[in-house]
Each structure stands twice: as C-alpha cells, then as structure tokens.
Amino acid sequence: MNMRSLVIALTLSFVASAAHSLSLAPEEFSASRQLACVLAEQSLGYLSEDEYGARTHTVLDGFDDLERDNILSKALGYVDGLMFAIDAGDHAEVDARLESFVGSDSCADGGGFRRVTVSL
C-alpha cells in the first residue's frame, strides 16, 4: 500500500468514525503515538510493506474496530500536524521533520525498530 492509498483509507476511517467521540483512553493515546511513528517510518521508506503491516498489526492488536478507527485518525492527524506550514513540494523539509520525529523521544519505545547509522 503506497502512502496515498494509506491516507485515503485513513481519511475514510476518520469520516466513518466522525459521529463517534475521538477522545482516547490512555492505551489508545499510546497506540496512536506508536502508530504515528510507524507512519513516519513508512513515509521515509524505512519499512518494507511486510514490516509496515506487522508493526501496524502489533500496535492495533487488542483494540475493537471503533478504537482502531480512533487510533488511526489520531495518528494520521499527528503526522499531518508535523507537516504544518511546509510546502508540499519541499521534500527535504518533509523528510527532515519526519526524521526528527522518528528520532525523538516520542518514538523511542517503538518496539526497538529504528534505523541506525554507524560510522567507523
């Protein structure tokens, strides 16, 4: 699934759940933060399709459909918020923001999945 398809699917999930409250329990809030990290890593090309699917499934496992919709909506909203005031054509700035987020404490406990570069 490419990023455009993902955004469309998540947007449809958001619209479908708009009639329901989007307030989150602590577990859902944590899951939405973890999923935002997964989305950012996928956008940067760090995850294969299989890795993306496995990580998404791991984050959403144990939640019912409405909770999953809320988590997806909040995660997508958070990633979208990271792009505030960036020109969509400025790929370097988009990548820099995503890199900064993936490297932040917000993504520090993302299950140990991080891209690391070592220089000798």
Side-chain angles (χ1 to χ4, degrees):
M1 175 180 282
N2 64 32
M3 188 49 118
R4 183 170 185 223
S5 297
L6 175 65
V7 170
I8 291 169
L10 293 176
T11 302
L12 291 174
S13 291
F14 176 74
V15 171
S17 66
H20 301 283
S21 170
L22 289 178
S23 62
L24 301 178
E27 306 83 32
E28 292 170 344
F29 179 78
S30 177
S32 69
R33 184 178 47 84
Q34 291 172 3
L35 189 56
C37 295
V38 172
L39 293 173
E41 290 181 80
Q42 176 68 10
S43 293
L44 288 165
Y46 291 176
L47 304 175
S48 69
E49 293 295 321
D50 290 339
E51 290 170 322
Y52 170 75
R55 298 253 332 261
T56 300
H57 179 73
T58 298
V59 170
L60 297 175
D61 191 37
F63 293 101
D64 66 31
D65 288 341
L66 179 59
E67 292 167 331
R68 287 179 180 174
D69 288 345
N70 287 341
I71 291 165
L72 288 167
S73 297
K74 290 291 187 178
L76 182 59
Y78 190 77
V79 171
D80 189 45
L82 289 172
M83 300 303 119
F84 183 75
I86 294 179
D87 179 357
D90 190 351
H91 300 291
E93 182 63 26
V94 168
D95 286 352
R97 289 242 182 125
L98 291 172
E99 288 276 356
S100 178
F101 176 60
V102 168
S104 73
D105 288 342
S106 293
C107 293
D109 66 342
F113 299 99
R114 293 188 116 183
R115 172 165 268 199
V116 177
T117 303
V118 177
S119 299
L120 301 176

